[in-house]
């Protein structure tokens, strides 16, 4: 199972990023093998539709679960249609958020928890 976590940098101990569509990186972890990779988010420079473009990037990578703080409705729709579960409530580092996920401490989201364009201009 592949889990993607919104991150500010390209490593497992990076701080998480609150934004989904405009986070600089995703750390994609294979929970079965423990292997991970840093994935640069190509949607960050998009003038519009960053959430949808980012969601499609993760769909194309075969991600099963996404861990976020905030996610907008358009991105959430793309992930939901692809059968990808989205959990909210990440904080701290990527590794801390993965631990919280494994321990069942994150909330499974059934809908977006941020408005459209909620990540623009925030860091």
């Amino acid at each position: 199972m592949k889990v993607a976590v919104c991150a500010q940098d390209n490593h497992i101990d990076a701080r998480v990023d609150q934004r989904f569509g405009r986070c600089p990186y995703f750390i994609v972890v294979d929970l079965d093998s423990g292997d991970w990779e840093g994935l640069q988010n190509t949607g960050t420079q998009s003038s519009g539709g960053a959430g949808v473009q980012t969601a499609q990037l993760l769909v194309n990578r075969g991600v099963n679960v996404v861990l976020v703080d905030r996610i907008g409705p358009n991105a959430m729709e793309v992930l939901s249609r692809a059968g990808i579960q989205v959990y909210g409530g990440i904080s701290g580092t990527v590794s801390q958020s993965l631990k919280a996920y494994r321990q069942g401490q994150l909330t499974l989201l059934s809908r977006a928890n941020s408005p459209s364009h909620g990540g623009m201009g925030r860091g």
Side-chain angles (χ1 to χ4, degrees):
M1 176 186 315
K2 289 185 180 180
V3 178
V5 186
C6 301
Q8 294 179 6
D9 207 346
N10 192 12
H11 58 85
I12 194 80
D13 291 316
R15 302 280 312 158
V16 298
D17 196 296
Q18 294 179 332
R19 303 161 299 175
F20 173 77
R22 295 196 184 273
C23 73
Y25 296 94
F26 286 93
I27 304 303
V28 180
V29 180
D30 185 323
L31 292 185
D32 299 323
S33 69
D35 294 338
W36 65 272
E37 69 171 318
L39 177 62
Q40 187 170 8
N41 181 7
T42 56
T44 59
Q45 302 304 316
S46 177
S47 62
V52 170
Q53 184 176 339
T54 299
Q56 194 59 54
L57 173 71
L58 297 179
V59 169
N60 294 346
R61 288 292 235 191
V63 167
N64 307 100
V65 173
V66 177
L67 307 183
V68 302
D69 182 43
R70 298 189 317 252
I71 188 168
N74 296 335
M76 186 70 180
E77 183 177 342
V78 171
L79 295 174
S80 294
R81 285 187 179 182
I84 297 173
Q85 293 183 321
V86 179
Y87 286 82
I90 62 173
S91 63
T93 65
V94 170
S95 54
Q96 289 169 333
S97 294
L98 285 165
K99 182 178 179 183
Y101 168 73
R102 287 184 182 122
Q103 294 176 344
Q105 297 173 344
L106 300 180
T107 304
L108 178 62
L109 301 178
S110 58
R111 58 186 167 89
N113 61 3
S114 181
S116 293
H117 309 290
M120 293 192 70
R122 298 184 188 171

